[in-house]
Coordinates of all heavy atoms in Angstrom, one line a residue:
M1 N -11.3 4.9 11.0 CA -10.0 4.3 10.8 C -9.5 4.6 9.4 O -10.3 4.3 8.4 CB -10.1 2.7 11.0 CG -8.8 2.0 10.8 SD -8.9 0.3 11.3 CE -9.8 -0.5 10.0
Q2 N -8.4 5.1 9.3 CA -7.8 5.5 8.0 C -6.9 4.4 7.5 O -5.9 4.0 8.2 CB -7.0 6.8 8.1 CG -6.4 7.3 6.8 CD -7.5 7.7 5.8 OE1 -8.6 8.2 6.2 NE2 -7.2 7.5 4.6
I3 N -7.2 3.8 6.3 CA -6.5 2.8 5.7 C -6.0 3.4 4.3 O -6.8 4.0 3.6 CB -7.3 1.5 5.4 CG1 -7.7 0.9 6.7 CG2 -6.5 0.5 4.6 CD1 -6.6 0.3 7.5
T4 N -4.7 3.3 4.1 CA -4.1 3.8 2.8 C -3.7 2.6 2.0 O -2.9 1.8 2.5 CB -2.9 4.7 3.1 OG1 -3.4 5.8 4.0 CG2 -2.4 5.3 1.8
I5 N -4.3 2.5 0.8 CA -4.0 1.3 0.0 C -3.1 1.8 -1.2 O -3.4 2.8 -1.9 CB -5.2 0.7 -0.6 CG1 -6.1 0.2 0.6 CG2 -4.9 -0.4 -1.5 CD1 -5.4 -0.8 1.5
D6 N -2.0 1.1 -1.5 CA -1.2 1.4 -2.6 C -1.5 0.4 -3.7 O -1.1 -0.8 -3.7 CB 0.3 1.3 -2.2 CG 1.2 1.5 -3.4 OD1 0.8 1.9 -4.5 OD2 2.5 1.5 -3.1
T7 N -2.3 0.8 -4.7 CA -2.8 -0.1 -5.7 C -1.6 -0.5 -6.7 O -1.8 -1.5 -7.4 CB -3.9 0.5 -6.6 OG1 -3.5 1.8 -7.1 CG2 -5.1 0.7 -5.7
S8 N -0.5 0.2 -6.6 CA 0.6 -0.2 -7.5 C 1.5 -1.1 -6.8 O 2.5 -1.7 -7.4 CB 1.4 1.1 -8.0 OG 2.0 1.7 -6.8
S9 N 1.3 -1.4 -5.5 CA 2.1 -2.3 -4.8 C 1.8 -3.8 -5.2 O 0.7 -4.2 -5.5 CB 1.9 -2.1 -3.3 OG 2.6 -3.1 -2.5
K10 N 2.9 -4.6 -5.0 CA 2.7 -6.1 -5.3 C 2.1 -6.7 -4.0 O 1.7 -7.9 -4.1 CB 4.0 -6.7 -5.6 CG 4.5 -6.3 -7.0 CD 5.8 -7.0 -7.4 CE 6.2 -6.5 -8.8 NZ 7.4 -7.3 -9.2
T11 N 2.1 -6.1 -2.9 CA 1.5 -6.6 -1.7 C 0.0 -6.6 -1.8 O -0.6 -5.6 -2.2 CB 1.9 -5.7 -0.5 OG1 3.3 -5.6 -0.4 CG2 1.3 -6.2 0.8
P12 N -0.7 -7.7 -1.6 CA -2.1 -7.8 -1.7 C -2.8 -6.8 -0.8 O -2.3 -6.4 0.3 CB -2.4 -9.2 -1.2 CG -1.2 -10.0 -1.3 CD -0.1 -9.0 -1.2
I13 N -4.0 -6.3 -1.2 CA -4.7 -5.3 -0.4 C -5.0 -5.8 1.0 O -4.9 -5.1 2.0 CB -6.0 -4.9 -1.1 CG1 -5.6 -4.2 -2.4 CG2 -6.9 -4.0 -0.3 CD1 -6.8 -3.8 -3.4
Y14 N -5.5 -7.1 1.1 CA -5.8 -7.6 2.5 C -4.5 -7.5 3.4 O -4.6 -7.2 4.6 CB -6.4 -9.0 2.5 CG -5.3 -10.1 2.3 CD1 -4.7 -10.6 3.4 CD2 -5.0 -10.5 1.1 CE1 -3.8 -11.6 3.3 CE2 -4.1 -11.5 0.9 CZ -3.4 -12.1 2.1 OH -2.5 -13.1 1.9
Q15 N -3.3 -7.8 2.8 CA -2.1 -7.7 3.6 C -1.7 -6.3 4.0 O -1.3 -6.0 5.1 CB -0.9 -8.3 2.8 CG 0.4 -8.4 3.5 CD 0.3 -9.3 4.8 OE1 0.0 -10.4 4.6 NE2 0.6 -8.7 5.9
Q16 N -2.0 -5.3 3.1 CA -1.8 -3.9 3.4 C -2.7 -3.5 4.6 O -2.2 -2.8 5.5 CB -2.0 -3.0 2.2 CG -1.1 -3.2 1.1 CD -1.4 -2.3 -0.1 OE1 -1.5 -1.1 0.1 NE2 -1.4 -2.9 -1.3
I17 N -3.9 -4.0 4.6 CA -4.8 -3.7 5.7 C -4.3 -4.3 7.0 O -4.2 -3.6 8.0 CB -6.3 -4.2 5.4 CG1 -6.8 -3.4 4.2 CG2 -7.2 -4.0 6.7 CD1 -8.1 -4.0 3.7
V18 N -3.9 -5.6 6.9 CA -3.4 -6.3 8.1 C -2.1 -5.5 8.7 O -2.0 -5.3 9.8 CB -3.0 -7.7 7.8 CG1 -2.2 -8.4 8.9 CG2 -4.3 -8.5 7.5
D19 N -1.2 -5.1 7.8 CA 0.0 -4.5 8.2 C -0.3 -3.1 8.9 O 0.3 -2.8 9.9 CB 0.9 -4.2 7.0 CG 1.5 -5.5 6.4 OD1 1.4 -6.6 7.1 OD2 2.0 -5.4 5.3
Q20 N -1.2 -2.4 8.3 CA -1.6 -1.1 8.9 C -2.3 -1.2 10.2 O -2.0 -0.5 11.2 CB -2.4 -0.3 7.9 CG -1.6 0.2 6.7 CD -2.4 1.0 5.7 OE1 -3.1 1.9 6.1 NE2 -2.4 0.6 4.4
V21 N -3.2 -2.1 10.4 CA -3.9 -2.3 11.6 C -2.9 -2.8 12.7 O -2.9 -2.4 13.8 CB -5.1 -3.3 11.5 CG1 -5.7 -3.7 12.8 CG2 -6.2 -2.7 10.6
T22 N -2.0 -3.7 12.3 CA -1.0 -4.3 13.2 C -0.1 -3.1 13.7 O 0.2 -3.1 14.9 CB -0.2 -5.3 12.5 OG1 -1.0 -6.4 12.1 CG2 0.9 -5.9 13.4
E23 N 0.3 -2.2 12.8 CA 1.1 -1.1 13.2 C 0.3 -0.2 14.2 O 0.9 0.3 15.1 CB 1.5 -0.3 12.0 CG 2.4 0.9 12.3 CD 2.9 1.6 11.1 OE1 2.9 1.1 10.0 OE2 3.3 2.8 11.2
H24 N -0.9 0.1 13.9 CA -1.8 0.9 14.7 C -1.9 0.3 16.1 O -1.9 1.0 17.2 CB -3.1 1.2 14.2 CG -3.2 2.1 12.9 ND1 -2.2 3.0 12.7 CD2 -4.1 2.1 11.9 CE1 -2.5 3.6 11.5 NE2 -3.6 3.1 11.1
I25 N -2.0 -1.0 16.2 CA -2.1 -1.7 17.5 C -0.8 -1.6 18.2 O -0.7 -1.3 19.4 CB -2.6 -3.1 17.3 CG1 -4.0 -3.2 16.8 CG2 -2.4 -3.9 18.6 CD1 -4.5 -4.6 16.4
A26 N 0.3 -1.9 17.5 CA 1.6 -1.9 18.1 C 2.0 -0.5 18.7 O 2.7 -0.4 19.7 CB 2.7 -2.4 17.1
T27 N 1.6 0.6 18.0 CA 2.0 1.9 18.4 C 1.0 2.6 19.4 O 1.2 3.7 19.8 CB 2.1 2.8 17.2 OG1 0.9 2.9 16.5 CG2 3.2 2.4 16.2
G28 N -0.1 1.8 19.7 CA -1.1 2.4 20.6 C -2.2 3.2 20.0 O -3.0 3.8 20.7
I29 N -2.1 3.4 18.7 CA -3.2 4.2 18.1 C -4.5 3.5 18.3 O -5.5 4.1 18.5 CB -2.9 4.4 16.6 CG1 -1.6 5.3 16.4 CG2 -4.1 5.0 15.8 CD1 -1.1 5.4 15.0
M30 N -4.5 2.2 18.2 CA -5.6 1.3 18.5 C -5.3 0.6 19.8 O -4.8 -0.5 19.8 CB -5.9 0.4 17.4 CG -6.4 1.0 16.1 SD -6.6 -0.3 14.9 CE -7.2 0.7 13.5
P31 N -5.7 1.1 20.9 CA -5.5 0.4 22.2 C -6.4 -0.8 22.4 O -7.4 -0.9 21.7 CB -5.7 1.5 23.3 CG -6.7 2.4 22.6 CD -6.4 2.4 21.2
P32 N -6.1 -1.6 23.4 CA -7.0 -2.7 23.8 C -8.4 -2.2 24.0 O -8.6 -1.2 24.7 CB -6.4 -3.3 25.0 CG -4.9 -3.0 25.0 CD -4.9 -1.6 24.3
G33 N -9.3 -2.9 23.4 CA -10.8 -2.5 23.6 C -11.2 -1.6 22.5 O -12.4 -1.4 22.4
Y34 N -10.3 -1.1 21.7 CA -10.7 -0.2 20.6 C -11.6 -1.0 19.6 O -11.3 -2.1 19.2 CB -9.4 0.3 19.8 CG -9.7 1.1 18.6 CD1 -9.8 2.5 18.7 CD2 -9.9 0.6 17.3 CE1 -10.1 3.3 17.6 CE2 -10.1 1.3 16.2 CZ -10.2 2.7 16.4 OH -10.4 3.5 15.3
Q35 N -12.7 -0.4 19.2 CA -13.7 -1.0 18.3 C -13.3 -0.6 16.9 O -13.3 0.6 16.5 CB -15.1 -0.7 18.6 CG -16.1 -1.4 17.8 CD -17.6 -1.2 18.2 OE1 -17.8 -0.4 19.1 NE2 -18.4 -2.0 17.6
L36 N -13.1 -1.6 16.1 CA -12.8 -1.4 14.7 C -14.1 -1.2 13.9 O -15.2 -1.7 14.4 CB -12.1 -2.6 14.1 CG -10.6 -2.7 14.3 CD1 -10.3 -3.1 15.7 CD2 -9.9 -3.6 13.3
P37 N -14.1 -0.5 12.8 CA -15.3 -0.4 12.1 C -15.8 -1.7 11.5 O -15.0 -2.6 11.3 CB -14.9 0.6 10.9 CG -13.5 0.5 10.8 CD -13.0 0.1 12.2
T38 N -17.1 -1.8 11.2 CA -17.6 -3.0 10.7 C -17.1 -3.2 9.3 O -16.6 -2.2 8.6 CB -19.1 -3.0 10.6 OG1 -19.5 -1.9 9.7 CG2 -19.8 -2.8 11.9
V39 N -17.1 -4.4 8.8 CA -16.6 -4.7 7.4 C -17.4 -3.8 6.4 O -16.8 -3.2 5.6 CB -16.8 -6.2 7.1 CG1 -16.6 -6.4 5.6 CG2 -15.9 -7.0 7.9
R40 N -18.7 -3.7 6.6 CA -19.5 -2.9 5.7 C -19.2 -1.4 5.8 O -19.0 -0.8 4.7 CB -21.0 -3.1 6.1 CG -21.9 -2.2 5.2 CD -23.4 -2.5 5.5 NE -23.6 -3.8 4.8 CZ -24.7 -4.5 5.0 NH1 -25.7 -4.0 5.7 NH2 -24.9 -5.6 4.4
D41 N -18.9 -0.9 7.0 CA -18.6 0.5 7.1 C -17.2 0.8 6.5 O -17.1 1.8 5.8 CB -18.6 1.0 8.6 CG -20.0 1.1 9.2 OD1 -21.0 1.1 8.4 OD2 -20.1 1.1 10.4
L42 N -16.3 0.0 6.8 CA -14.9 0.2 6.2 C -14.9 0.1 4.7 O -14.3 0.8 4.0 CB -13.9 -0.8 6.8 CG -12.5 -0.6 6.5 CD1 -12.0 0.9 6.7 CD2 -11.6 -1.5 7.2
A43 N -15.7 -0.9 4.2 CA -15.8 -1.1 2.7 C -16.4 0.2 2.1 O -16.0 0.7 1.0 CB -16.6 -2.3 2.4
G44 N -17.4 0.7 2.7 CA -18.1 1.9 2.2 C -17.2 3.1 2.2 O -17.2 3.9 1.2
E45 N -16.4 3.3 3.2 CA -15.6 4.5 3.3 C -14.3 4.4 2.5 O -13.7 5.4 2.1 CB -15.3 4.9 4.8 CG -14.3 4.0 5.5 CD -14.1 4.4 6.9 OE1 -15.0 4.8 7.6 OE2 -12.9 4.4 7.3
S46 N -13.9 3.1 2.3 CA -12.5 3.0 1.6 C -12.7 2.5 0.1 O -11.7 2.7 -0.6 CB -11.7 1.9 2.3 OG -12.3 0.6 2.2
G47 N -13.8 2.0 -0.2 CA -14.0 1.5 -1.6 C -13.4 0.1 -1.8 O -13.3 -0.4 -2.9
I48 N -13.0 -0.5 -0.7 CA -12.4 -1.9 -0.8 C -13.5 -2.9 -0.7 O -14.5 -2.6 0.1 CB -11.3 -2.1 0.3 CG1 -10.2 -1.0 0.2 CG2 -10.8 -3.5 0.3 CD1 -9.3 -1.0 1.4
S49 N -13.4 -4.0 -1.3 CA -14.5 -4.9 -1.3 C -14.7 -5.6 0.1 O -13.7 -5.7 0.9 CB -14.3 -6.1 -2.3 OG -13.3 -7.0 -1.8
H50 N -15.9 -5.9 0.4 CA -16.3 -6.6 1.6 C -15.4 -7.8 1.9 O -14.9 -8.0 3.0 CB -17.8 -7.0 1.7 CG -18.7 -5.9 1.7 ND1 -19.2 -5.3 0.5 CD2 -19.3 -5.1 2.7 CE1 -20.1 -4.4 0.8 NE2 -20.1 -4.2 2.1
G51 N -15.3 -8.6 0.9 CA -14.5 -9.9 1.0 C -13.1 -9.7 1.4 O -12.5 -10.4 2.2
T52 N -12.5 -8.6 0.8 CA -11.1 -8.3 1.1 C -10.9 -7.9 2.5 O -10.0 -8.3 3.3 CB -10.6 -7.2 0.2 OG1 -10.6 -7.7 -1.2 CG2 -9.1 -6.8 0.4
I53 N -11.8 -7.0 3.0 CA -11.7 -6.5 4.4 C -12.0 -7.7 5.4 O -11.3 -7.8 6.4 CB -12.7 -5.4 4.6 CG1 -12.2 -4.1 3.8 CG2 -12.8 -5.0 6.1 CD1 -13.2 -3.0 3.7
K54 N -13.0 -8.5 5.0 CA -13.3 -9.7 5.9 C -12.1 -10.6 6.0 O -11.7 -11.1 7.1 CB -14.5 -10.4 5.4 CG -14.8 -11.6 6.3 CD -16.0 -12.4 5.7 CE -16.3 -13.6 6.6 NZ -15.2 -14.3 7.2
H55 N -11.4 -10.8 4.9 CA -10.2 -11.6 4.9 C -9.1 -11.0 5.8 O -8.5 -11.8 6.6 CB -9.7 -11.8 3.5 CG -8.5 -12.7 3.3 ND1 -8.5 -14.0 3.6 CD2 -7.2 -12.4 2.9 CE1 -7.3 -14.5 3.4 NE2 -6.5 -13.6 3.0
A56 N -8.9 -9.7 5.7 CA -7.9 -9.1 6.6 C -8.3 -9.2 8.0 O -7.5 -9.5 8.9 CB -7.8 -7.6 6.2
Y57 N -9.6 -9.0 8.4 CA -10.1 -9.2 9.7 C -9.9 -10.6 10.2 O -9.5 -10.8 11.4 CB -11.5 -8.7 9.9 CG -11.8 -7.2 10.0 CD1 -10.8 -6.3 9.7 CD2 -13.0 -6.8 10.5 CE1 -11.1 -4.9 9.8 CE2 -13.2 -5.4 10.7 CZ -12.3 -4.5 10.3 OH -12.5 -3.2 10.5
D58 N -10.2 -11.6 9.3 CA -9.9 -13.0 9.7 C -8.5 -13.3 10.0 O -8.2 -14.0 11.0 CB -10.4 -13.9 8.6 CG -11.9 -13.9 8.4 OD1 -12.7 -13.5 9.3 OD2 -12.3 -14.4 7.3
M59 N -7.6 -12.7 9.2 CA -6.1 -12.9 9.5 C -5.7 -12.3 10.8 O -4.9 -12.8 11.5 CB -5.3 -12.3 8.3 CG -5.6 -13.0 7.0 SD -5.4 -14.8 6.9 CE -3.6 -14.9 7.0
L60 N -6.3 -11.1 11.1 CA -5.9 -10.4 12.3 C -6.5 -11.2 13.5 O -5.8 -11.3 14.6 CB -6.5 -9.0 12.3 CG -5.8 -8.0 11.4 CD1 -6.6 -6.8 11.1 CD2 -4.4 -7.6 12.0
E61 N -7.7 -11.8 13.3 CA -8.2 -12.6 14.4 C -7.4 -13.9 14.6 O -7.1 -14.3 15.8 CB -9.7 -12.9 14.2 CG -10.3 -13.6 15.4 CD -11.8 -13.8 15.2 OE1 -12.3 -14.1 14.1 OE2 -12.5 -13.7 16.2
L62 N -7.0 -14.5 13.5 CA -6.2 -15.7 13.6 C -4.9 -15.4 14.3 O -4.3 -16.2 15.0 CB -5.9 -16.2 12.2 CG -5.2 -17.5 12.1 CD1 -5.9 -18.6 12.7 CD2 -4.9 -17.8 10.6
A63 N -4.3 -14.2 14.1 CA -3.1 -13.8 14.7 C -3.3 -13.4 16.2 O -2.3 -13.2 17.0 CB -2.4 -12.6 14.0
G64 N -4.5 -13.3 16.7 CA -4.8 -13.0 18.1 C -4.7 -11.5 18.4 O -4.7 -11.1 19.5
L65 N -4.8 -10.7 17.4 CA -4.8 -9.2 17.6 C -6.1 -8.6 17.8 O -6.3 -7.6 18.5 CB -4.1 -8.6 16.4 CG -2.6 -8.9 16.2 CD1 -2.1 -8.4 14.9 CD2 -1.8 -8.5 17.4
I66 N -7.2 -9.2 17.2 CA -8.5 -8.7 17.3 C -9.4 -9.9 17.7 O -9.1 -11.0 17.5 CB -9.0 -8.0 16.1 CG1 -9.2 -8.9 14.9 CG2 -8.2 -6.8 15.7 CD1 -9.9 -8.3 13.6
K67 N -10.6 -9.5 18.2 CA -11.6 -10.5 18.5 C -13.0 -10.0 17.9 O -13.4 -8.9 18.2 CB -11.7 -10.7 20.0 CG -12.8 -11.6 20.5 CD -12.5 -13.0 20.1 CE -13.6 -14.0 20.6 NZ -13.6 -15.2 19.9
K68 N -13.6 -10.9 17.1 CA -14.9 -10.5 16.6 C -16.0 -11.2 17.4 O -15.9 -12.3 17.8 CB -15.0 -11.1 15.2 CG -14.1 -10.4 14.2 CD -14.3 -10.9 12.8 CE -13.6 -12.2 12.6 NZ -13.7 -12.7 11.2
T69 N -17.0 -10.3 17.8 CA -18.1 -10.9 18.7 C -19.4 -10.5 18.0 O -19.7 -9.3 17.8 CB -18.0 -10.2 20.1 OG1 -16.7 -10.4 20.6 CG2 -19.1 -10.7 21.0
R70 N -20.1 -11.6 17.6 CA -21.3 -11.4 16.8 C -22.3 -10.5 17.7 O -22.5 -10.8 18.9 CB -22.0 -12.7 16.6 CG -23.2 -12.6 15.7 CD -23.9 -13.9 15.5 NE -22.9 -14.8 14.7 CZ -23.0 -15.0 13.4 NH1 -24.0 -14.5 12.7 NH2 -22.2 -15.8 12.8
G71 N -22.8 -9.5 17.1 CA -23.8 -8.6 17.7 C -23.1 -7.4 18.5 O -23.8 -6.5 18.9
S72 N -21.8 -7.5 18.8 CA -21.1 -6.5 19.5 C -20.1 -5.7 18.7 O -20.0 -4.5 18.8 CB -20.4 -7.1 20.7 OG -21.3 -7.6 21.6
G73 N -19.4 -6.4 17.8 CA -18.4 -5.7 17.0 C -17.1 -6.4 17.0 O -16.9 -7.6 17.5
T74 N -16.1 -5.7 16.5 CA -14.7 -6.3 16.4 C -13.8 -5.3 17.2 O -13.8 -4.1 17.0 CB -14.2 -6.3 14.9 OG1 -15.2 -7.1 14.2 CG2 -12.9 -6.9 14.8
F75 N -13.0 -5.9 18.1 CA -12.3 -5.2 19.1 C -10.8 -5.6 19.2 O -10.5 -6.8 18.9 CB -12.9 -5.3 20.5 CG -14.3 -4.9 20.6 CD1 -15.3 -5.7 20.3 CD2 -14.6 -3.6 20.9 CE1 -16.7 -5.3 20.4 CE2 -15.8 -3.1 21.0 CZ -16.9 -4.0 20.8
V76 N -9.9 -4.7 19.5 CA -8.5 -5.0 19.7 C -8.4 -5.8 21.0 O -9.0 -5.4 22.0 CB -7.7 -3.7 19.7 CG1 -6.2 -4.1 20.1 CG2 -7.7 -3.0 18.4
C77 N -7.7 -6.9 20.9 CA -7.5 -7.7 22.1 C -6.6 -7.0 23.2 O -5.8 -6.2 22.8 CB -6.9 -9.0 21.8 SG -8.0 -10.1 20.8
D78 N -6.9 -7.4 24.4 CA -6.0 -6.9 25.5 C -4.7 -7.5 25.4 O -4.6 -8.7 25.4 CB -6.7 -7.2 26.9 CG -5.9 -6.6 28.0 OD1 -4.8 -6.2 27.9 OD2 -6.6 -6.5 29.1
L79 N -3.6 -6.7 25.3 CA -2.3 -7.3 25.1 C -1.8 -8.2 26.2 O -1.0 -9.0 26.1 CB -1.3 -6.1 24.9 CG -1.6 -5.2 23.7 CD1 -0.6 -4.0 23.7 CD2 -1.6 -5.9 22.5
K80 N -2.4 -8.0 27.4 CA -2.0 -8.8 28.6 C -2.6 -10.2 28.6 O -2.1 -11.1 29.1 CB -2.4 -8.1 29.9 CG -1.7 -6.8 30.1 CD -2.2 -6.0 31.3 CE -1.6 -4.7 31.4 NZ -2.2 -3.8 32.4
I81 N -3.8 -10.3 27.9 CA -4.4 -11.6 28.0 C -4.5 -12.4 26.6 O -4.8 -13.5 26.6 CB -5.9 -11.5 28.5 CG1 -6.7 -10.7 27.6 CG2 -5.9 -11.0 29.9 CD1 -8.2 -10.7 28.0
R82 N -4.2 -11.7 25.5 CA -4.4 -12.3 24.2 C -3.2 -13.3 24.0 O -2.1 -13.1 24.6 CB -4.4 -11.3 23.1 CG -3.2 -10.6 22.8 CD -3.4 -9.6 21.7 NE -2.3 -8.7 21.6 CZ -1.1 -9.0 21.0 NH1 -0.9 -10.2 20.5 NH2 -0.2 -8.1 20.9
H83 N -3.5 -14.2 23.2 CA -2.4 -15.2 22.8 C -1.9 -14.8 21.4 O -2.5 -15.2 20.4 CB -3.0 -16.6 22.8 CG -3.5 -17.0 24.2 ND1 -2.6 -17.3 25.2 CD2 -4.7 -17.1 24.7 CE1 -3.3 -17.6 26.3 NE2 -4.6 -17.5 26.0
Y84 N -0.9 -14.1 21.4 CA -0.4 -13.6 20.1 C 0.3 -14.7 19.3 O 1.1 -15.5 19.8 CB 0.7 -12.5 20.4 CG 1.3 -12.0 19.1 CD1 0.5 -11.2 18.3 CD2 2.6 -12.2 18.8 CE1 1.0 -10.7 17.1 CE2 3.1 -11.7 17.6 CZ 2.3 -11.0 16.8 OH 2.9 -10.5 15.6
R85 N -0.1 -14.8 18.0 CA 0.6 -15.7 17.1 C 1.2 -14.8 16.0 O 0.5 -14.0 15.4 CB -0.5 -16.6 16.5 CG -1.1 -17.5 17.4 CD -2.3 -18.3 16.7 NE -3.3 -18.7 17.6 CZ -4.3 -17.9 18.0 NH1 -4.4 -16.6 17.7 NH2 -5.2 -18.4 18.8
P86 N 2.5 -14.8 15.9 CA 3.1 -14.0 14.9 C 2.5 -14.0 13.5 O 2.1 -15.1 13.1 CB 4.6 -14.5 14.9 CG 4.7 -15.2 16.2 CD 3.4 -15.8 16.5
L87 N 2.4 -12.9 12.9 CA 1.8 -12.8 11.6 C 2.8 -13.3 10.5 O 2.4 -13.5 9.3 CB 1.4 -11.3 11.2 CG 0.3 -10.8 12.1 CD1 0.2 -9.3 11.8 CD2 -1.0 -11.5 11.9
T88 N 4.0 -13.5 10.8 CA 5.0 -14.1 9.9 C 5.7 -15.2 10.5 O 5.6 -15.3 11.8 CB 6.0 -13.0 9.5 OG1 6.6 -12.5 10.7 CG2 5.4 -11.8 8.8
P89 N 6.3 -16.1 9.9 CA 6.6 -16.1 8.5 C 5.6 -16.8 7.6 O 5.8 -16.8 6.4 CB 8.0 -16.8 8.4 CG 7.9 -17.8 9.5 CD 7.0 -17.1 10.6
S90 N 4.7 -17.5 8.1 CA 3.9 -18.4 7.3 C 2.5 -17.9 6.9 O 1.5 -18.4 7.5 CB 3.9 -19.8 7.9 OG 3.2 -20.7 7.1
W91 N 2.4 -17.0 6.0 CA 1.1 -16.6 5.5 C 0.4 -17.7 4.7 O -0.8 -17.8 4.7 CB 1.2 -15.4 4.6 CG 1.2 -14.1 5.5 CD1 2.3 -13.4 5.7 CD2 0.2 -13.6 6.2 NE1 2.0 -12.4 6.6 CE2 0.7 -12.5 6.9 CE3 -1.2 -13.9 6.4 CZ2 -0.1 -11.6 7.7 CZ3 -1.9 -13.1 7.2 CH2 -1.4 -12.0 7.9
T92 N 1.2 -18.6 4.1 CA 0.6 -19.7 3.4 C -0.2 -20.6 4.3 O -1.3 -21.0 4.0 CB 1.7 -20.5 2.7 OG1 2.4 -19.6 1.8 CG2 1.2 -21.7 1.9
R93 N 0.4 -20.9 5.5 CA -0.3 -21.8 6.5 C -1.6 -21.1 6.9 O -2.6 -21.8 7.0 CB 0.6 -22.0 7.7 CG 0.0 -23.1 8.6 CD 0.9 -23.5 9.7 NE 1.1 -22.3 10.7 CZ 2.3 -21.8 11.0 NH1 3.4 -22.3 10.6 NH2 2.4 -20.8 11.9
C94 N -1.6 -19.8 7.2 CA -2.8 -19.1 7.6 C -3.8 -19.1 6.5 O -5.0 -19.4 6.7 CB -2.5 -17.6 8.0 SG -1.5 -17.5 9.4
R95 N -3.4 -18.9 5.3 CA -4.3 -18.8 4.1 C -4.9 -20.2 3.9 O -6.1 -20.3 3.7 CB -3.5 -18.4 2.9 CG -4.4 -18.2 1.6 CD -3.7 -17.6 0.5 NE -2.4 -18.1 0.2 CZ -1.2 -17.5 0.3 NH1 -1.3 -16.2 0.7 NH2 -0.1 -18.0 0.1
N96 N -4.1 -21.3 4.1 CA -4.6 -22.6 3.9 C -5.6 -23.0 5.0 O -6.5 -23.7 4.8 CB -3.4 -23.6 3.8 CG -2.6 -23.5 2.6 OD1 -3.1 -22.9 1.6 ND2 -1.4 -24.0 2.6
Y97 N -5.4 -22.4 6.2 CA -6.3 -22.7 7.3 C -7.6 -22.0 7.0 O -8.7 -22.6 7.2 CB -5.7 -22.1 8.6 CG -6.6 -22.2 9.8 CD1 -6.8 -23.4 10.5 CD2 -7.3 -21.1 10.2 CE1 -7.7 -23.5 11.5 CE2 -8.2 -21.1 11.2 CZ -8.4 -22.3 11.9 OH -9.2 -22.4 13.0
L98 N -7.6 -20.8 6.5 CA -8.9 -20.1 6.3 C -9.6 -20.5 5.0 O -10.8 -20.5 4.9 CB -8.6 -18.6 6.2 CG -8.2 -18.0 7.5 CD1 -7.8 -16.5 7.3 CD2 -9.4 -18.0 8.5
F99 N -8.8 -20.9 4.0 CA -9.4 -21.3 2.7 C -8.8 -22.7 2.3 O -8.0 -22.7 1.4 CB -9.1 -20.2 1.6 CG -9.6 -18.9 2.0 CD1 -8.7 -17.9 2.5 CD2 -10.9 -18.6 2.0 CE1 -9.1 -16.7 2.9 CE2 -11.4 -17.3 2.4 CZ -10.5 -16.4 2.8
P100 N -9.3 -23.7 2.9 CA -8.7 -25.1 2.6 C -9.0 -25.5 1.1 O -9.9 -25.1 0.5 CB -9.4 -26.0 3.6 CG -10.5 -25.2 4.2 CD -10.3 -23.8 3.9

């Protein structure tokens, strides 16, 4: 999975990851059932910290776009059965939910 990070952007890195994965899902580049790389693998190939990638994956799961299964991996949800929660407008609510 190719992630491009703009370090000069005011957009947080985790949000850039969320935005790119969301776009890949929406355009079919990552179809339902697609297995995302592990946090460790993505961190190793991209140079982004584990915590930042985990935060992005948590936000994507909270939005209903991916499903993490211990021991199996992280997969794009089936668009027909997932319960999509829009990623906007309230990132504050999501952030407060994950980090009270």
Side-chain angles (χ1 to χ4, degrees):
M1 179 170 76
Q2 182 64 34
I3 298 290
T4 305
I5 300 301
D6 180 1
T7 56
S8 65
S9 173
K10 291 184 180 184
T11 304
I13 292 173
Y14 79 89
Q15 181 65 55
Q16 292 181 49
I17 296 168
V18 168
D19 292 345
Q20 289 179 53
V21 171
T22 300
E23 182 178 337
H24 290 335
I25 292 170
T27 59
I29 294 171
M30 293 180 178
Y34 178 89
Q35 185 171 10
L36 280 75
T38 65
V39 170
R40 177 173 286 172
D41 288 345
L42 186 55
E45 74 181 40
S46 66
I48 301 167
S49 77
H50 293 90
T52 300
I53 294 169
K54 182 183 180 318
H55 182 63
Y57 277 20
D58 288 345
M59 299 304 286
L60 289 161
E61 186 173 39
L62 183 63
L65 296 173
I66 64 172
K67 177 70 177 156
K68 296 184 281 185
T69 305
R70 184 180 298 259
S72 296
T74 303
F75 299 88
V76 174
C77 289
D78 186 341
L79 301 176
K80 295 176 184 168
I81 63 170
R82 71 179 167 81
H83 299 286
Y84 179 71
R85 293 174 210 80
L87 294 174
T88 55
S90 182
W91 276 105
T92 302
R93 187 174 70 234
C94 293
R95 186 173 45 247
N96 291 341
Y97 174 79
L98 292 172
F99 303 102

